[in-house]
Amino acid sequence: MTAGIQGREVRVIGGVPWTRNTRQDLKWVLLFLSPWIIGFIVLTAGPMLWTLYLSFTNYNPIRPVTNFVGIENYARMLKDPHVLNSLYNTIFYTVLHVPLSMGIALLLALMLNRIGGRSAGFFRTAFYIPNVTPAVAVGTLFLLLLNGNSGVINGVLGFFGIDGPSWLNDPTWVKPGIIIMSLWTVGNTVVIYFAALKNVPLEMYEAARIDGASAWDQFRNITVPMISGALFFTFVINTIASLQLFTEVYTMFFGAQQGQSSGAGDAAEFYVIYLFHEAFEVFRMGYASALAWLLFAVILVITVVQIRVSRRFVYYEGE
Amino acid sequence: MATGETQLDRTLPGSGARVAVGQKIDPGKLAFRVGFLLLLAFFTILFLYPLVWLLSASLKPGSEVFSGGLIGSSLMWSNYPKLISDQPVLQWTWNSVLVTVLASSTVTISSALVAFAFAYFRFPFRGLVFGLVLAGMMLPGAVTMIPNYLIWDYLGWTNTLVPLWAGNLFASPFYIFMLRQFFLGLPRELFDAARVDGANYLRMWWSVALPLTRAALIVVFVFELKVAWTDLVKPLIFLRDLPTFTLPAGLKAIVDNPSIGGEKHFELLAVGGVIVTLPMVIVFFLAQRYFIEGIATTGSTGR
């Protein structure tokens, strides 16, 4: 390809005219990009391929011999009850956590937007504070709050005459307890929605009111489309994060625990927790690499589907 | 703005106006507002009470953690020295501070460097390369975790703090994306002027671009401060001995075994929780504007 610049024919490479300036600046570009280039090769792309390679071996750092085992790891995953169980738990959590957190965050953000002014700032801060709590402290805190016999949450339920379940020991109630915990840190999403709501032009509501549109009509036809960018963003990000839930649950139920809450059993086994166990607790790194690639594939597929679907629904200003 | 809406309400009388003829304050509207505030206050309690409870539990005698009100039969400030003498908490705190400061400063500088290249220069395949950067954002950590462990292990740096921050020397996709937006907002004439004055690109970046994007750099810094301070995964993978732990790893060790002399001390779990949380709460209040601004821009620019 060529393009005429200043009356001369100049080659175009990668969308940029290949002029003397471009050539001279290129070494600067490489200098500026160097942290990312090195990181990408050494810490991202290289390790990804390395993981892929390991997934076809039975690599175990505490065993001297490593063999190439073909697709054996992948075949084993299909029959591994822990894979099925942890996938089930993870999807169960994601399917409940993502819509619940989005719904509650939207409700709170709408309330903040309605109240306005200084008090909105105060409440926003209050809602956000749990998010600065380190995940390991969140896990520790809810280990105490969700205690079946004497925790605060069952205390409150008892006040209303409800006999609260054993959140930490009863397999039926372990995941609902984890979801309650996850909703405590919904403030991050509230801040995003509140910022988006403030950007909706008030004239739109004014015009709608003059046309006699009800509050619900305004919400459905103005608010939701106008903040659809933020809704979609949190939908994708929260989904990706939910599929990788680890720290809080690991803190509560796993590790070198000495008789904390052993009854939870398989109900709290999430996918990344099982992956971590295989890789760093029993050192079956070949198998764990296969598990990692499955996770990558699942996240990739879900994200691509979400982006495809969003093209229909998401409104971006200036498009 | 949200405040604008109340003004709008006044100019467009709502249904309540009919009820309160001749009155200055509309009782219907007032009741609505009071009810609204009460509802918000209820949520505020819901969000803040767990933290208040944690603080309270950390100051109670061990036997009263689960019972009674927020204040126990006596205020046990001694719970704190008790945990500090039982576990190397001060060492953990120092480790955490070191890792967090190194992680935040290195990722801010390196990401700003890379972001500037994408914002200022036109170079071949820029769009494609930037796409690769963005793709890195959605890559699950699990896919690179095992080789990263093997690399640091090969270098002999496991059981040291180095792997907890050194990866940040190589910039982070999310921050590159964010800072690029800010650099794009700077008028190009500024840089042309610096070029005329004979500054090279590195100097231009350092003394023109960075000072003008200070706010954005602080956003990145405090974001990473939180990420690095709260991380448990890397310490679990790389650290083995108690004295090398960071605070989150230390707290996990206490959760795993909260007994001293065969007796369980749940109040010490709460003490550990407070010690790891409090610094973040303080940082949040000092840098609240940057936290909120950062999250808000993430949401609106994250496309």
Side-chain angles (χ1 to χ4, degrees), chain A residues 54-314:
Chain A
L54 287 177
S55 75
F56 295 110
T57 70
N58 62 358
Y59 178 66
N60 182 330
I62 52 178
R63 259 192 356 209
V65 189
T66 300
N67 298 318
F68 191 78
V69 296
I71 60 160
E72 196 181 283
N73 286 328
Y74 292 94
R76 199 177 124 203
M77 275 185 336
L78 295 176
K79 290 176 291 182
D80 184 346
H82 288 284
V83 169
L84 293 178
N85 177 55
S86 62
L87 270 179
Y88 168 77
N89 287 339
T90 307
I91 290 167
F92 181 98
Y93 169 78
T94 305
V95 165
L96 282 170
H97 166 79
V98 174
L100 276 175
S101 65
M102 286 178 71
I104 292 172
L106 184 57
L107 186 77
L108 293 173
L110 285 168
M111 282 165 66
L112 290 181
N113 198 38
R114 190 73 174 72
I115 203 96
R118 266 167 187 272
S119 34
F122 167 79
F123 288 120
R124 180 181 61 184
T125 301
F127 297 165
Y128 182 75
I129 291 250
N131 288 270
V132 301
T133 314
V136 60
V138 174
T140 309
L141 176 57
F142 277 83
L143 199 56
L144 299 171
L145 295 180
L146 287 168
N147 187 299
N149 299 321
S150 39
V152 170
I153 290 175
N154 277 356
V156 173
L157 290 177
F159 181 78
F160 293 105
I162 303 167
D163 195 11
S166 299
W167 302 99
L168 304 175
N169 297 307
D170 182 346
T172 322
W173 289 100
V174 164
K175 278 188 288 293
I178 291 170
I179 289 166
I180 291 175
M181 171 174 70
S182 75
L183 294 176
W184 186 55
T185 48
V186 83
N188 214 35
T189 314
V190 176
V191 171
I192 293 175
Y193 291 168
F194 183 44
L197 286 171
K198 285 201 287 191
N199 285 334
V200 183
L202 285 174
E203 298 79 44
M204 297 183 93
Y205 293 107
E206 202 175 341
R209 251 176 279 192
I210 290 166
D211 290 346
S214 70
W216 170 245
D217 285 338
Q218 289 176 36
F219 175 75
R220 216 183 42 174
N221 298 322
I222 300 173
T223 310
V224 170
M226 289 305 287
I227 65 165
S228 55
L231 291 173
F232 170 65
F233 174 75
T234 54
F235 181 48
V236 173
I237 294 294
N238 288 351
T239 306
I240 293 178
S242 298
L243 293 171
Q244 298 179 72
L245 179 71
F246 175 81
T247 303
E248 293 89 338
V249 179
Y250 187 83
T251 303
M252 291 169 82
F253 299 104
F254 296 90
Q257 301 219 349
Q258 310 206 333
Q260 282 285 316
S261 38
S262 44
D266 294 341
E269 184 183 55
F270 284 76
Y271 192 81
V272 176
I273 287 176
Y274 181 56
L275 200 166
F276 180 86
H277 170 77
E278 286 295 306
F280 297 106
E281 288 172 354
V282 295
F283 298 107
R284 280 192 282 260
M285 290 192 172
Y287 186 52
S289 297
L291 291 172
W293 265 87
L294 177 66
L295 178 70
F296 178 54
V298 168
I299 289 180
L300 190 70
V301 167
I302 290 179
T303 310
V304 167
V305 168
Q306 286 176 331
I307 290 173
R308 281 277 153 83
V309 171
S310 82
R311 293 224 174 105
R312 285 194 196 172
F313 299 109
V314 180

Side-chain angles (χ1 to χ4, degrees), chain B residues 86-151:
Chain B
D86 186 58
Q87 300 281 359
V89 175
L90 297 178
Q91 180 69 45
W92 296 342
T93 311
W94 168 245
N95 293 344
S96 273
V97 169
L98 200 68
V99 165
T100 304
V101 169
L102 285 169
S104 306
S105 23
T106 50
V107 89
T108 308
I109 296 292
S110 58
S111 301
L113 205 60
V114 176
F116 187 75
F118 285 113
Y120 183 79
F121 294 103
R122 288 188 68 199
F123 55 88
F125 304 108
R126 187 175 67 174
L128 192 77
V129 178
F130 192 60
L132 271 182
V133 172
L134 294 190
M137 262 204 282
M138 54 154 292
L139 188 73
V143 186
T144 54
M145 200 160 69
I146 293 167
N148 279 353
Y149 167 79
L150 296 174
I151 291 169

Side-chain angles (χ1 to χ4, degrees), chain B residues 141-163:
Chain B
V143 186
T144 54
M145 200 160 69
I146 293 167
N148 279 353
Y149 167 79
L150 296 174
I151 291 169
W152 292 115
D153 190 46
Y154 175 78
L155 295 172
W157 273 326
T158 47
N159 215 19
T160 75
L161 297 175
V162 178

Side-chain angles (χ1 to χ4, degrees), chain B residues 2 100 128 140 146 167 183 195 207 210 238 247 249 281 295:
Chain B
T100 304
L128 192 77
I146 293 167
F183 287 136
R195 289 290 289 163
S207 49
L210 290 194
F238 292 111
L247 276 175
V281 174
I295 298 157

